[in-house]
Amino acid sequence: MTEQSDPEPSRPLRSWIRSSPGTHIWLLIIAVTSIVVAIAPDQIEHVLLHRNSSNIHQLDKYPVRALLSSAFWIEDPASLALYAVLFEVFHAPVERWLGTLRWLVIVATAHVVATLISQKVLLTAIRAHEAPRSMTHVVDIGVSYGLAASVGVLTYRIPNPWRWFYLAGAVAFFGIPLATGGNFTDLGHAISLAVGLLAWPLTRHVSRETGSRLSPG
C-alpha cells in the first residue's frame, strides 16, 4: 500500500477521501469519540479521558492500550472542526503523496516516541520534586503529535525557496513555546516535528507533484 490513485475529476470530494483513506478513517473515529465525550455526563467524561490517556499511570499499567487509544480522542469536542481542517491541510496531502503505509509509519512513530520521551521527562521532574505528583494522572490525549510529524515531513514536498519559509515557520511555531518555558506537551510537539523532518529518506524517489515513485537513475 504505497501510492494512491489519481483523483477522479468528476468526483473531487470522493476522490480526495479515497486517495487518503487513513486520514479520513482516523478523523471519523475521532468524530465518534468526540460525540461520546460531548454527550457523556461529566463523571463519565472524566473517566473516559483518563482511561484513554497516555499519562504516566496508564503507560505504567497498560502501555500498549494507552499509546493506541490516546491517538483517537481529543479533550475538547468543540475543537473537532479545527482538527478536521488540520487533517485535510497536513495529513491528507502527506498520505496521498507518500502512500498510506509510509504516512502511517511516520505519524505512529512520532506519536509513540514523543509520548514516551515527554512522559519520561515529566516523570523525572516529578521524582526531582519539580512537578506535582498529580501529573502522573494528567490527561494526555489527542492527535497533535501525529499532526506535528506531518507538518515536518510536508517540508520536503514544498519547492524551494518556499520550503525554507515553511520550515522556519514550523520550527518557530513548535519551538518557541518549548524555548520559553513550555510543558511536556510542547516537548512532545518538538520531538514529533523532528521525527517528521528525519523521515526524509521515506520521501526519496517520490514525485513531489504526483506522489508516484520515480524510477531510479
mmCIF file of all heavy atoms in Angstrom, residues 160-185:
data_model
loop_
_atom_site.group_PDB
_atom_site.id
_atom_site.type_symbol
_atom_site.label_atom_id
_atom_site.label_comp_id
_atom_site.label_asym_id
_atom_site.label_seq_id
_atom_site.Cartn_x
_atom_site.Cartn_y
_atom_site.Cartn_z
ATOM 1 N N ASN A 160 11.642 24.763 -3.377
ATOM 2 C CA ASN A 160 12.456 25.927 -2.998
ATOM 3 C C ASN A 160 11.991 27.142 -3.799
ATOM 4 O O ASN A 160 11.549 26.997 -4.942
ATOM 5 C CB ASN A 160 13.930 25.646 -3.292
ATOM 6 C CG ASN A 160 14.504 24.624 -2.342
ATOM 7 O OD1 ASN A 160 14.204 24.635 -1.165
ATOM 8 N ND2 ASN A 160 15.324 23.725 -2.862
ATOM 9 N N PRO A 161 12.113 28.344 -3.234
ATOM 10 C CA PRO A 161 12.655 28.687 -1.913
ATOM 11 C C PRO A 161 11.611 28.675 -0.806
ATOM 12 O O PRO A 161 11.925 28.938 0.341
ATOM 13 C CB PRO A 161 13.170 30.114 -2.130
ATOM 14 C CG PRO A 161 12.180 30.701 -3.091
ATOM 15 C CD PRO A 161 11.809 29.569 -4.029
ATOM 16 N N TRP A 162 10.347 28.372 -1.164
ATOM 17 C CA TRP A 162 9.258 28.443 -0.182
ATOM 18 C C TRP A 162 9.446 27.421 0.929
ATOM 19 O O TRP A 162 8.934 27.603 2.044
ATOM 20 C CB TRP A 162 7.917 28.239 -0.876
ATOM 21 C CG TRP A 162 7.756 29.146 -2.047
ATOM 22 C CD1 TRP A 162 7.731 28.793 -3.366
ATOM 23 C CD2 TRP A 162 7.643 30.572 -2.008
ATOM 24 N NE1 TRP A 162 7.600 29.906 -4.164
ATOM 25 C CE2 TRP A 162 7.546 31.014 -3.351
ATOM 26 C CE3 TRP A 162 7.620 31.514 -0.974
ATOM 27 C CZ2 TRP A 162 7.429 32.355 -3.669
ATOM 28 C CZ3 TRP A 162 7.498 32.848 -1.300
ATOM 29 C CH2 TRP A 162 7.402 33.259 -2.625
ATOM 30 N N ARG A 163 10.142 26.338 0.618
ATOM 31 C CA ARG A 163 10.385 25.305 1.633
ATOM 32 C C ARG A 163 11.033 25.890 2.882
ATOM 33 O O ARG A 163 10.674 25.523 4.015
ATOM 34 C CB ARG A 163 11.295 24.221 1.046
ATOM 35 C CG ARG A 163 11.761 23.175 2.060
ATOM 36 C CD ARG A 163 12.693 22.176 1.416
ATOM 37 N NE ARG A 163 12.045 21.468 0.325
ATOM 38 C CZ ARG A 163 12.655 20.560 -0.435
ATOM 39 N NH1 ARG A 163 13.941 20.283 -0.227
ATOM 40 N NH2 ARG A 163 12.007 19.952 -1.394
ATOM 41 N N TRP A 164 11.971 26.807 2.725
ATOM 42 C CA TRP A 164 12.707 27.339 3.876
ATOM 43 C C TRP A 164 11.843 28.277 4.716
ATOM 44 O O TRP A 164 11.972 28.325 5.939
ATOM 45 C CB TRP A 164 13.971 28.040 3.386
ATOM 46 C CG TRP A 164 14.825 27.100 2.595
ATOM 47 C CD1 TRP A 164 15.035 27.099 1.244
ATOM 48 C CD2 TRP A 164 15.532 25.966 3.105
ATOM 49 N NE1 TRP A 164 15.831 26.044 0.876
ATOM 50 C CE2 TRP A 164 16.160 25.332 1.993
ATOM 51 C CE3 TRP A 164 15.711 25.419 4.386
ATOM 52 C CZ2 TRP A 164 16.933 24.188 2.132
ATOM 53 C CZ3 TRP A 164 16.492 24.278 4.522
ATOM 54 C CH2 TRP A 164 17.090 23.683 3.406
ATOM 55 N N PHE A 165 10.937 29.004 4.076
ATOM 56 C CA PHE A 165 9.996 29.842 4.823
ATOM 57 C C PHE A 165 9.033 28.960 5.619
ATOM 58 O O PHE A 165 8.714 29.248 6.779
ATOM 59 C CB PHE A 165 9.225 30.752 3.875
ATOM 60 C CG PHE A 165 10.070 31.813 3.237
ATOM 61 C CD1 PHE A 165 10.501 31.694 1.930
ATOM 62 C CD2 PHE A 165 10.433 32.955 3.954
ATOM 63 C CE1 PHE A 165 11.282 32.676 1.339
ATOM 64 C CE2 PHE A 165 11.217 33.946 3.381
ATOM 65 C CZ PHE A 165 11.637 33.803 2.067
ATOM 66 N N TYR A 166 8.552 27.909 4.986
ATOM 67 C CA TYR A 166 7.648 26.965 5.653
ATOM 68 C C TYR A 166 8.347 26.315 6.842
ATOM 69 O O TYR A 166 7.786 26.228 7.949
ATOM 70 C CB TYR A 166 7.195 25.902 4.651
ATOM 71 C CG TYR A 166 6.387 24.775 5.256
ATOM 72 C CD1 TYR A 166 5.002 24.877 5.377
ATOM 73 C CD2 TYR A 166 7.002 23.607 5.696
ATOM 74 C CE1 TYR A 166 4.259 23.837 5.917
ATOM 75 C CE2 TYR A 166 6.277 22.569 6.247
ATOM 76 C CZ TYR A 166 4.901 22.692 6.351
ATOM 77 O OH TYR A 166 4.170 21.659 6.901
ATOM 78 N N LEU A 167 9.586 25.859 6.627
ATOM 79 C CA LEU A 167 10.339 25.207 7.692
ATOM 80 C C LEU A 167 10.580 26.166 8.850
ATOM 81 O O LEU A 167 10.428 25.790 10.023
ATOM 82 C CB LEU A 167 11.666 24.690 7.148
ATOM 83 C CG LEU A 167 12.603 24.015 8.172
ATOM 84 C CD1 LEU A 167 11.929 22.818 8.818
ATOM 85 C CD2 LEU A 167 13.907 23.610 7.496
ATOM 86 N N ALA A 168 10.949 27.400 8.535
ATOM 87 C CA ALA A 168 11.183 28.387 9.590
ATOM 88 C C ALA A 168 9.912 28.631 10.389
ATOM 89 O O ALA A 168 9.938 28.742 11.631
ATOM 90 C CB ALA A 168 11.683 29.699 8.982
ATOM 91 N N GLY A 169 8.767 28.685 9.705
ATOM 92 C CA GLY A 169 7.503 28.878 10.397
ATOM 93 C C GLY A 169 7.156 27.705 11.302
ATOM 94 O O GLY A 169 6.683 27.894 12.429
ATOM 95 N N ALA A 170 7.395 26.480 10.804
ATOM 96 C CA ALA A 170 7.099 25.289 11.597
ATOM 97 C C ALA A 170 7.987 25.209 12.830
ATOM 98 O O ALA A 170 7.516 24.908 13.941
ATOM 99 C CB ALA A 170 7.277 24.037 10.731
ATOM 100 N N VAL A 171 9.276 25.476 12.656
ATOM 101 C CA VAL A 171 10.207 25.438 13.785
ATOM 102 C C VAL A 171 9.839 26.499 14.809
ATOM 103 O O VAL A 171 9.862 26.252 16.025
ATOM 104 C CB VAL A 171 11.658 25.625 13.296
ATOM 105 C CG1 VAL A 171 12.598 25.819 14.477
ATOM 106 C CG2 VAL A 171 12.094 24.423 12.458
ATOM 107 N N ALA A 172 9.464 27.682 14.342
ATOM 108 C CA ALA A 172 9.077 28.749 15.262
ATOM 109 C C ALA A 172 7.793 28.383 16.002
ATOM 110 O O ALA A 172 7.682 28.589 17.220
ATOM 111 C CB ALA A 172 8.884 30.055 14.501
ATOM 112 N N PHE A 173 6.826 27.833 15.280
ATOM 113 C CA PHE A 173 5.532 27.506 15.889
ATOM 114 C C PHE A 173 5.675 26.480 17.006
ATOM 115 O O PHE A 173 5.054 26.604 18.072
ATOM 116 C CB PHE A 173 4.578 26.986 14.818
ATOM 117 C CG PHE A 173 3.193 26.701 15.325
ATOM 118 C CD1 PHE A 173 2.266 27.726 15.434
ATOM 119 C CD2 PHE A 173 2.824 25.416 15.683
ATOM 120 C CE1 PHE A 173 0.983 27.472 15.908
ATOM 121 C CE2 PHE A 173 1.541 25.153 16.160
ATOM 122 C CZ PHE A 173 0.618 26.181 16.274
ATOM 123 N N PHE A 174 6.494 25.454 16.772
ATOM 124 C CA PHE A 174 6.645 24.409 17.777
ATOM 125 C C PHE A 174 7.822 24.650 18.720
ATOM 126 O O PHE A 174 7.841 24.108 19.823
ATOM 127 C CB PHE A 174 6.816 23.043 17.098
ATOM 128 C CG PHE A 174 5.583 22.569 16.383
ATOM 129 C CD1 PHE A 174 5.540 22.504 15.001
ATOM 130 C CD2 PHE A 174 4.453 22.181 17.095
ATOM 131 C CE1 PHE A 174 4.403 22.070 14.332
ATOM 132 C CE2 PHE A 174 3.313 21.748 16.445
ATOM 133 C CZ PHE A 174 3.283 21.689 15.058
ATOM 134 N N GLY A 175 8.799 25.435 18.266
ATOM 135 C CA GLY A 175 9.996 25.622 19.076
ATOM 136 C C GLY A 175 9.908 26.746 20.085
ATOM 137 O O GLY A 175 10.431 26.620 21.200
ATOM 138 N N ILE A 176 9.232 27.843 19.729
ATOM 139 C CA ILE A 176 9.157 28.979 20.652
ATOM 140 C C ILE A 176 8.469 28.622 21.965
ATOM 141 O O ILE A 176 8.975 28.972 23.051
ATOM 142 C CB ILE A 176 8.485 30.184 19.967
ATOM 143 C CG1 ILE A 176 9.409 30.751 18.889
ATOM 144 C CG2 ILE A 176 8.131 31.270 20.982
ATOM 145 C CD1 ILE A 176 8.806 31.893 18.078
ATOM 146 N N PRO A 177 7.320 27.914 21.952
ATOM 147 C CA PRO A 177 6.708 27.544 23.234
ATOM 148 C C PRO A 177 7.630 26.699 24.107
ATOM 149 O O PRO A 177 7.664 26.871 25.333
ATOM 150 C CB PRO A 177 5.466 26.744 22.813
ATOM 151 C CG PRO A 177 5.139 27.258 21.454
ATOM 152 C CD PRO A 177 6.467 27.516 20.811
ATOM 153 N N LEU A 178 8.383 25.797 23.483
ATOM 154 C CA LEU A 178 9.309 24.962 24.249
ATOM 155 C C LEU A 178 10.455 25.787 24.811
ATOM 156 O O LEU A 178 10.859 25.605 25.966
ATOM 157 C CB LEU A 178 9.849 23.845 23.354
ATOM 158 C CG LEU A 178 10.836 22.868 24.010
ATOM 159 C CD1 LEU A 178 10.167 22.112 25.155
ATOM 160 C CD2 LEU A 178 11.380 21.895 22.970
ATOM 161 N N ALA A 179 10.968 26.706 24.027
ATOM 162 C CA ALA A 179 12.117 27.517 24.451
ATOM 163 C C ALA A 179 11.755 28.570 25.480
ATOM 164 O O ALA A 179 12.635 29.111 26.145
ATOM 165 C CB ALA A 179 12.761 28.182 23.240
ATOM 166 N N THR A 180 10.474 28.848 25.618
ATOM 167 C CA THR A 180 10.046 29.885 26.559
ATOM 168 C C THR A 180 9.305 29.278 27.748
ATOM 169 O O THR A 180 8.305 29.823 28.212
ATOM 170 C CB THR A 180 9.152 30.917 25.852
ATOM 171 O OG1 THR A 180 8.051 30.240 25.203
ATOM 172 C CG2 THR A 180 9.937 31.695 24.827
ATOM 173 N N GLY A 181 9.808 28.122 28.204
ATOM 174 C CA GLY A 181 9.247 27.514 29.415
ATOM 175 C C GLY A 181 8.068 26.602 29.178
ATOM 176 O O GLY A 181 7.156 26.529 30.010
ATOM 177 N N GLY A 182 8.044 25.914 28.040
ATOM 178 C CA GLY A 182 6.937 25.041 27.707
ATOM 179 C C GLY A 182 6.845 23.821 28.601
ATOM 180 O O GLY A 182 7.758 23.502 29.360
ATOM 181 N N ASN A 183 5.728 23.106 28.488
ATOM 182 C CA ASN A 183 5.493 21.902 29.290
ATOM 183 C C ASN A 183 5.832 20.646 28.494
ATOM 184 O O ASN A 183 6.408 20.715 27.410
ATOM 185 C CB ASN A 183 4.050 21.874 29.787
ATOM 186 C CG ASN A 183 3.047 21.942 28.640
ATOM 187 O OD1 ASN A 183 3.350 21.581 27.494
ATOM 188 N ND2 ASN A 183 1.852 22.419 28.938
ATOM 189 N N PHE A 184 5.445 19.491 29.027
ATOM 190 C CA PHE A 184 5.797 18.224 28.378
ATOM 191 C C PHE A 184 5.115 18.079 27.020
ATOM 192 O O PHE A 184 5.654 17.434 26.113
ATOM 193 C CB PHE A 184 5.447 17.049 29.288
ATOM 194 C CG PHE A 184 3.971 16.784 29.433
ATOM 195 C CD1 PHE A 184 3.328 15.892 28.603
ATOM 196 C CD2 PHE A 184 3.224 17.426 30.409
ATOM 197 C CE1 PHE A 184 1.967 15.640 28.728
ATOM 198 C CE2 PHE A 184 1.876 17.190 30.558
ATOM 199 C CZ PHE A 184 1.239 16.292 29.708
ATOM 200 N N THR A 185 3.961 18.683 26.847
ATOM 201 C CA THR A 185 3.274 18.626 25.551
ATOM 202 C C THR A 185 4.055 19.397 24.494
ATOM 203 O O THR A 185 4.178 18.945 23.347
ATOM 204 C CB THR A 185 1.853 19.187 25.679
ATOM 205 O OG1 THR A 185 1.132 18.449 26.666
ATOM 206 C CG2 THR A 185 1.112 19.079 24.354
#
